[in-house]
Amino acid sequence: ILLLGPIGASLGGVGLATAIRWALRQWIEGPPDEGKASKGEASAKAKSRKSKDAKKSSIPEKEKSVEKSGEAENWRDMLLEVYEELKVPFLEAYYEAKWQRKSSSVLVLLMFVVCGMEFINYCWVVGERLSQASIILKRRTEDGEVILIDDYRQAYWWLRDQTPQDSRVMAWWDYGY
């Protein structure tokens, strides 16, 4: 927990910032034009793919057997091609649903406001509880009787009565690690 806590908090902060940035951009900016590829760009990409395929087919068989990294490039090219084919319909649907995105962004921002206010309230409550340290503790027994545990107070009284006025007390507080 000591190691992963700060990492989780940092990643959570990045996620929250990204979500808030997305929600605010729905109201401030319009959709970027770079997400929609023009027909000219799509044909240029297709031509470049064909030229890559032609170059690969012109490689002699000896070099193909030696080159094992080519298989990884084939998989990468295939995944990129699938990604490009799926990206366009999703982006079109995303940009067509303008009011759905805006209403979703309102819900996201409202959720952050409500959760943020709850978190601030929680911090104040915990701060109040921790700042009012007490040396007398109240506990209940199994039969419901309230008992006061004042061992600390009695120890302080003993120190006051049994030691000289100018004496110093040295204590070791062990967390139990």
Side-chain angles (χ1 to χ4, degrees), residues 162-173:
Q162 302 296 324
T163 57
Q165 186 72 21
D166 62 345
S167 52
R168 300 186 187 269
V169 175
M170 199 165 123
W172 177 267
W173 182 263

Side-chain angles (χ1 to χ4, degrees), residues 2 7-8 12 23 25 30-31 34 54 65 67 70 89-90 96 105 136 141 149 151 153 158-159 168-171:
L2 292 176
I7 295 170
R25 282 188 180 166
E34 63 194 27
S65 63
E67 185 180 330
F90 280 119
E96 287 175 4
S105 69
I136 300 175
T141 60
I149 302 173
D151 294 342
R153 187 174 59 151
W158 184 90
L159 279 172
R168 300 186 187 269
V169 175
M170 199 165 123

Side-chain angles (χ1 to χ4, degrees), residues 6-18:
I7 295 170
S10 299
L11 291 176
V14 169
L16 289 175
T18 303

Side-chain angles (χ1 to χ4, degrees), residues 19-86:
I20 291 173
R21 186 181 308 127
W22 172 84
L24 291 175
R25 282 188 180 166
Q26 302 310 310
W27 292 94
I28 296 172
E29 300 176 354
D33 293 333
E34 63 194 27
K36 298 181 179 179
S38 65
K39 290 183 181 178
E41 290 176 11
S43 64
K45 286 181 182 178
K47 286 180 184 177
S48 68
R49 277 192 211 122
K50 287 180 183 177
S51 66
K52 285 181 185 177
D53 292 339
K55 287 179 184 177
K56 287 181 183 176
S57 64
S58 67
I59 297 174
E61 289 298 322
K62 291 179 183 177
E63 291 181 17
K64 283 184 183 178
S65 63
V66 173
E67 185 180 330
K68 293 291 183 183
S69 65
E71 293 176 11
E73 287 181 16
N74 286 340
W75 280 103
R76 190 183 78 211
D77 290 342
M78 188 171 67
L79 288 175
L80 286 173
E81 186 176 327
V82 169
Y83 170 74
E84 290 296 327
E85 288 177 12
L86 291 176

